Amino acid sequence: MAAALALARRAEGLTAPNPPVGAVVVRAGRLQGSGFHRAAGEPHAEVEAIREAGSTARGATLYVTLEPCSTHGRTPPCTDAVRQSGIRHVVIGTRDPNPAHRGRGVRLLRKAGIRVTENVLETEARELVAPFAKHVTTGRPFVTLKLGLTLDGRIADRNGRSRWITGAASRDRVHDLRRRVDAILVGRGSACTDDPALIARNGRHHVPWRVVADSRGSLPLSARLLSDPWVDRTIVATTRRCRPRRIDAYRNAGARVWRLPSTRPGVSLSGLLDRLGRMGVLHVLCEGGGELAAALLRGRFVDRCWLFLAPRLLGGSGTPAVGGRGWTLGAAPEMRILAVERVGEDVLVKLEP
């Protein structure tokens, strides 16, 4: 199952609106075939593994990270492929989180006389499909908020400079995370100040949707998001405050422009996430800034936080990691610490609400 999970992770960020899935076929203790779902419309992991195993799949065990699908979509049901292959035992990481399908594949396999073992490395398997589970049950993408901050909670100094608060090892981890998401979201301030490209280093085969929440249309036309070769992957989420001439300029540059309802302090994040969900986006990474982070937390849109803490202190009038008007102590959002690890000279703290 660990091998199947490792295979599935190779396709994170590439399979939307489907989940990443990995599978291996084992017979007499030896690996006979392996596979993973590479993209929507491509063969599912079970089919790839069974094809590679060929005739050796008969009497073998299939390890798969997610319950095999049992309905006909863009590809035939995987339960049919499993039954036809002669596999005798199927080991599953976790059941399908889709309420309409959950458990159906297991029942079909057992009805066909195939032994099924469930919940092997279930925690890891459920973590792998958490974005899919959020999308299939709510229609909205899973949101990870990433912040690189000092020990006193600053994301930029008093002059607005943020490069680089965290070290090279932390930045490498962020690029790895970028390769695993479907969209990267930033606020107007970060887009204008940092002029980011929002793509993963050495990951140009996978360019996520690059989304800027900009209620007034302040993003300059010279920004990299509007002038690089991947401008067609840029979405400017704005409101009626943005002038029509500016909207036309963004579209002429090649970007998509969504005019959404406005809320205080800017673009309706509820409307934005709903629209991304309708596009099939499973996982959104928010990379700041502080005002956008505050709005996401206040709206309870955040599913996971990655905080990279650098061993520095800025103090004074540095930019706070979470802006807005703040909370009283009794009303402050509470987090549960999931993991803490050393990343170079920094510390990564993973949390969830």
Side-chain angles (χ1 to χ4, degrees):
M1 187 60 72
L5 287 164
L7 284 166
R9 292 189 188 102
R10 291 170 60 180
E12 282 186 284
L14 302 175
T15 61
N18 297 338
V21 181
V24 297
V25 175
V26 176
R27 183 177 179 181
R30 300 188 66 177
L31 180 67
Q32 305 296 334
S34 61
F36 61 94
H37 183 44
R38 298 171 186 270
E42 295 293 316
H44 287 190
E46 302 94 314
V47 172
E48 284 211 341
I50 289 168
R51 284 178 181 172
E52 187 174 290
S55 61
T56 63
R58 186 162 299 277
T61 297
L62 171 70
Y63 293 83
V64 60
T65 58
L66 185 67
E67 176 182 7
C69 68
S70 56
T71 57
H72 200 295
R74 295 172 67 176
T75 58
C78 288
T79 48
D80 287 356
V82 174
R83 288 184 293 182
Q84 293 164 9
S85 70
I87 282 173
R88 291 182 182 176
H89 184 195
V90 176
V91 181
I92 297 170
T94 188
R95 286 199 178 190
D96 191 334
N98 187 336
H101 303 153
R102 184 176 177 85
R104 189 169 185 267
V106 170
R107 290 192 296 271
L108 286 172
L109 293 175
R110 285 176 173 157
K111 187 176 180 180
I114 298 171
R115 180 185 168 202
V116 179
T117 301
E118 298 188 65
N119 304 328
V120 174
L121 295 184
E122 182 185 17
T123 299
E124 294 88 340
R126 291 184 66 180
E127 176 71 15
L128 177 69
V129 297
F132 173 74
K134 171 76 178 293
H135 184 265
V136 81
T137 55
T138 70
R140 285 181 175 173
F142 188 93
V143 176
T144 296
L145 173 62
K146 185 279 298 181
L147 294 168
L149 61 157
T150 62
L151 292 177
D152 54 347
R154 308 297 186 186
I155 58 173
D157 65 16
R158 63 188 179 191
N159 298 315
R161 289 193 297 263
S162 60
R163 295 183 177 178
W164 296 104
I165 285 178
T166 56
S170 292
R171 297 196 293 275
D172 287 344
R173 287 292 295 273
V174 172
H175 280 276
D176 180 64
L177 182 57
R178 285 180 175 181
R179 282 189 286 269
R180 294 158 45 198
V181 302
D182 305 301
I184 300 174
L185 170 65
V186 295
R188 173 198 59 80
S190 293
C192 294
T193 301
D194 298 337
D195 193 22
L198 301 183
I199 60 174
R201 189 187 305 123
N202 300 323
R204 293 178 179 181
H205 64 287
H206 168 56
V207 179
W209 290 106
R210 306 176 302 173
V211 187
V212 182
D214 182 3
S215 63
R216 297 182 181 275
S218 304
L219 185 68
L221 293 172
S222 59
R224 283 200 283 180
L225 293 173
L226 297 172
S227 58
D228 68 14
W230 305 280
V231 63
D232 61 333
R233 300 289 290 178
T234 297
I235 298 170
V236 179
T238 190
T239 69
R240 293 187 181 275
R241 300 178 206 166
C242 183
R243 295 180 179 179
R245 183 179 298 177
R246 194 67 167 176
I247 290 176
D248 289 342
Y250 290 151
R251 286 176 174 156
N252 290 337
R256 298 191 184 195
V257 180
W258 293 351
R259 183 177 280 181
L260 299 169
S262 60
T263 58
R264 300 182 69 181
V267 175
S268 167
L269 295 177
S270 176
L272 175 57
L273 293 172
D274 282 341
R275 187 149 183 183
L276 287 170
R278 290 196 295 273
M279 283 181 62
V281 169
L282 303 184
H283 194 173
V284 174
L285 171 64
C286 176
E287 295 204 11
E291 297 301 319
L292 180 58
L296 286 167
L297 289 166
R298 188 171 295 280
R300 299 185 178 182
F301 299 122
V302 175
D303 298 290
R304 192 68 43 85
C305 287
W306 281 36
L307 303 184
F308 290 90
L309 299 173
R312 299 186 183 200
L313 297 168
L314 283 175
S317 57
T319 305
V322 179
R325 63 182 184 272
W327 295 267
T328 62
L329 186 59
E334 294 186 12
M335 294 282 172
R336 178 186 302 110
I337 296 177
L338 301 175
V340 179
E341 61 179 287
R342 184 78 175 262
V343 181
E345 295 301 312
D346 304 327
V347 173
L348 169 58
V349 183
K350 297 180 182 180
L351 312 100
E352 67 179 4

